Amino acid sequence: MIARLLFSAGLAMQEAPPMVVIDERDTVREEAPPHGAIGMSTAYRISDAAPQPRTMEFRKRVLHPGAAIGVHPIAHDEVYYVLSGQGEVTSDGISKPLRAGMAAYLYNKAKVGIRQLGKQPLVLIITYPVAPKS
């Protein structure tokens, strides 16, 4: 019924693109973490394998011992979810510990960063919206 109403109003419903299934092994690379190149990390740029249009980024990052994503301003909300290891997240000068099963929800306009602590790598999922086109 709704589809008929939209069509009769001249608003044809657009179909979603087909789903994309991505194997993280196809997206992996070793690199210094962003925002300061502090230490080394393994990056899984998972959403890069999903063609546009897409509205979100989905990343997995392994911060090796001593590594950090340096403090930087964000222009969107962002989530860091810890799969394993321990770390410390910072937002606007306030730092909190993180461990497996914990998430940090970080807000637009904050200055944020995260660093690995302990002997085990810090494994994170990071998600945020795609940057708008200028």
Side-chain angles (χ1 to χ4, degrees):
M1 178 75 167
I2 293 173
R4 265 190 248 152
L5 290 173
L6 289 172
F7 185 76
S8 66
L11 303 172
M13 291 179 58
Q14 293 184 0
E15 290 187 26
M19 76 169 162
V20 178
V21 176
I22 301 158
D23 187 327
E24 72 177 16
R25 294 175 293 187
D26 296 332
T27 69
V28 65
R29 61 185 182 207
E30 299 297 314
E31 63 185 23
H35 311 291
I38 303 162
M40 282 303 291
S41 71
T42 304
Y44 300 84
R45 298 180 61 90
I46 296 166
S47 56
D48 285 3
Q52 296 291 354
R54 65 176 195 274
T55 60
M56 63 179 285
E57 298 293 353
F58 186 88
R59 311 265 192 245
K60 178 179 171 185
R61 185 163 303 263
V62 179
L63 294 176
H64 302 184
I69 296 172
V71 175
H72 61 285
I74 56 175
H76 49 256
D77 289 5
E78 193 164 290
V79 176
Y80 295 168
Y81 179 77
V82 179
L83 296 173
S84 63
Q86 295 179 17
E88 182 178 70
V89 63
T90 300
S91 180
D92 289 333
I94 298 170
S95 296
K96 301 274 183 167
L98 288 179
R99 64 181 182 285
M102 296 175 81
Y105 193 100
L106 306 163
Y107 290 93
N108 181 30
K109 300 182 183 175
K111 292 180 183 165
V112 306
I114 188 165
R115 66 185 182 111
Q116 180 277 342
L117 298 174
K119 294 181 181 182
Q120 301 301 317
L122 176 61
V123 183
L124 306 164
I125 296 294
I126 303 168
T127 187
Y128 52 92
V130 169
K133 300 227 188 254
S134 302

